[in-house]
Amino acid sequence: MKTNELISDDKKIAEIEMEAFKSSLRGALLLPDQEGYDQSRTIWNGMFDKYPTMVVKCAGPSDVIAAVNFARENKLILAVKAGGHSFAGRSTCDGGLLIDLSNMKGIRVDSLKQTARAEAGALLSDLDHETQAFGLAVTAGVVSHTGIAGLTLGGGQGYLMNKFGLTIDNLLSVDMVLADGSFVKASKSENEDLFWAIRGGGGNFGVVTSLEYQLHKVGPEVLAGMILYPLDQAKKMLQFYREYSMNTPDEMSVIAGIFTLPDGVKVFGFVVCWMGDFDEGNRQLEPLRALPPPLADLIAPVPYVQLQKSFDAAVPHGMHRYNKMGYIPEITDELIDIIVRNTKEVSPYSMILFNVMKGAVTRVRPEDTPFPYRGRQWYFDITPQWVDPEEADSLIAWTRAFWDEVEPHTQGTAVNWLSPDDGLDRVKAAYGPNYYRLARLKHKYDPDNFFRLNNNILPNANG
């Protein structure tokens, strides 16, 4: 009887604590049987189908503070979802508490200072919409339904990076909640070491609730679009790409890759963005347009916000996907042969992409941010996508075998492209020599590794 009474008392205490927690929130506390729970727990990568014990749909920073404190005090694993685009499925969890920031989308643009302050639940499309109203933009990915927070904290690569740098190079400050529940600002003048860490250190140091960016004059139209060629011309096109992409002005971004069109045809394509004078842009495009006649030339003046959405349909929510990615300092003939050989029978929906990194990216020292790969290079990634779970084993095996051949030609990787089977060695590869400084700062700000459901940096006082 005493045991039952104790169990009953414990249950009552738990119910009272839960009710107190719920009443402390301005947003919603969602349990598995409640409306909105499934939407919150579901993320972009359909490979992951997880069920947190509870979801806090935050309305503002006070809800984030309450959720962090509740999770810490009750020893619950904590996941944080903004856009939910984690390749590795880190933005949801089984059991534990999920912080859902997706209702926090407020954005304020200061057109005179050319800055924007955005809440962490905003997507790239939200940020682009507000900033382009003033003819302004910041480097911000190439898929508009990506969340700004995860993209930024992992580095942030996009069409504008060669001219204006990575997203982290344009980050001015953040507001964030630390593991002890404290709410702080990090910038070059406040908590400077923390500000250094979050500019590439991912979600290891706390929950960012808002981000302030330096903006630049862009658009409202850019010269952009795709040129498509038959897949059997891939070798010739990659040989052209390695010279052309690296030797255009910083106003030019050129992605090259292998895609599947909606009708199932596999093609080699270039995706171009020129943000300067259109007459000069057309002159810069002449070598590209002097190639053999393409299947389609879709390059034209388009709104920048339209360009930002051009990959959206190719990477929809809910598909299963896997990834391997690295930086390539030289596109050799040997590497081109490896790529051509491995992509002759590329599966539907899958993509193999290069994007050139030069200009402003290289004018930041490797030690100035956690992101160390500041040389002239290309990022390269292999992303199989599929609908039928039965295809997972064969497509993951194909990717790993392909990557085994490519990896010797790479240096490092990016933390936002890590897959669930990438361990500490790949996390260290993403940060290179900066990992040890990050480990010391992780020990300072999160010694118990409370924020561990991420591409994790282990706390280490000695680095």
Side-chain angles (χ1 to χ4, degrees), residues 13-14 56 90 109 118 141 150 162 169 171 173 177 181 189 228 254 295 303 315 320 345 370 373 377 397:
I13 291 169
V56 177
R90 312 293 192 202
V109 177
N162 297 324
D169 302 333
L171 189 64
S173 70
V177 180
S189 60
L228 304 176
V254 189
L295 297 172
V315 287
H320 296 225
E345 301 299 327
Y373 299 107
Q377 63 195 355

Side-chain angles (χ1 to χ4, degrees), residues 57-83:
K57 192 127 186 183
C58 297
S62 63
D63 288 350
V64 178
I65 294 169
V68 166
N69 286 335
F70 187 83
R72 186 189 64 252
E73 290 163 5
N74 289 277
K75 297 181 171 54
L76 298 173
I77 191 167
L78 182 73
V80 182
K81 175 186 175 182

Side-chain angles (χ1 to χ4, degrees), residues 25 35 118 126 172 218 225 239 255 272 386 398 421 436 450 459:
L25 301 171
E35 184 178 352
D126 301 319
L172 299 176
V218 175
Q239 288 171 335
I255 294 173
V272 172
W386 62 96
W398 169 78
D421 57 354
Y436 303 101
F450 175 65

Side-chain angles (χ1 to χ4, degrees), residues 103-365:
N103 279 352
M104 294 173 57
K105 293 182 182 290
I107 299 171
R108 183 181 183 279
V109 177
D110 186 327
S111 59
L112 294 178
K113 293 182 179 178
Q114 294 188 189
T115 61
R117 167 71 67 176
E119 288 187 300
L123 305 180
L124 303 193
S125 58
D126 301 319
L127 184 62
D128 289 334
H129 179 82
E130 296 300 324
T131 58
Q132 278 291 280
F134 303 92
L136 300 169
V138 66
T139 304
V142 297
V143 176
S144 78
H145 50 70
T146 306
I148 63 167
L151 176 122
T152 301
L153 298 181
Q157 301 167 7
Y159 297 110
L160 308 183
M161 65 185 169
N162 297 324
K163 182 66 174 176
F164 301 123
L166 303 175
T167 315
I168 53 174
D169 302 333
N170 294 280
L171 189 64
L172 299 176
S173 70
V174 299
D175 292 331
M176 61 189 299
V177 180
L178 303 182
D180 62 3
S182 59
F183 184 71
V184 302
K185 180 177 181 179
S187 69
K188 287 185 177 179
S189 60
E190 297 180 61
N191 298 301
E192 299 94 326
D193 58 351
L194 181 60
F195 185 58
W196 180 87
I198 58 93
R199 284 179 294 156
N204 276 281
F205 298 91
V207 183
V208 168
T209 60
S210 71
L211 308 96
E212 182 187 16
Y213 298 100
Q214 184 66 59
L215 305 177
H216 305 276
K217 290 285 187 183
V218 175
E221 286 194 327
V222 292
L223 188 61
M226 301 183 77
I227 296 185
L228 304 176
Y229 294 89
L231 186 57
D232 62 11
Q233 294 188 33
K235 181 172 182 175
K236 181 189 299 183
M237 295 302 162
L238 282 172
Q239 288 171 335
F240 167 82
Y241 175 73
R242 67 184 170 194
E243 303 300 328
Y244 176 72
S245 63
M246 194 58 79
N247 293 293
T248 53
D250 294 346
E251 287 80 4
M252 180 77 85
S253 171
V254 189
I255 294 173
I258 292 164
F259 313 93
T260 304
L261 299 180
D263 60 4
V265 175
K266 297 176 180 64
V267 297
F268 183 93
F270 298 109
V271 184
V272 172
C273 173
W274 171 266
M275 68 188 74
D277 174 79
F278 285 0
D279 289 338
E280 177 59 24
N282 280 312
R283 282 192 291 272
Q284 293 294 332
L285 287 169
E286 286 175 2
L288 188 57
R289 285 174 160 155
L291 293 170
L295 297 172
D297 180 347
L298 306 175
I299 298 176
V302 296
Y304 174 69
V305 292
Q306 180 178 322
L307 170 67
Q308 283 287 84
K309 296 177 180 180
S310 59
F311 272 107
D312 287 9
V315 287
H317 283 80
M319 290 193 76
H320 296 225
R321 43 183 61 92
Y322 184 77
N323 183 267
K324 291 295 180 184
M325 177 272 181
Y327 295 105
I328 293 177
E330 183 182 4
I331 302 176
T332 63
D333 285 341
E334 180 186 1
L335 177 61
I336 290 172
D337 287 341
I338 290 169
I339 292 166
V340 170
R341 184 174 65 253
N342 279 279
T343 55
K344 281 182 179 177
E345 301 299 327
V346 65
S347 65
Y349 312 118
S350 298
M351 293 186 293
I352 294 89
L353 296 177
F354 282 93
N355 198 0
V356 65
M357 301 176 69
K358 57 184 181 179
V361 175
T362 70
R363 292 191 281 273
V364 177
R365 296 180 303 172

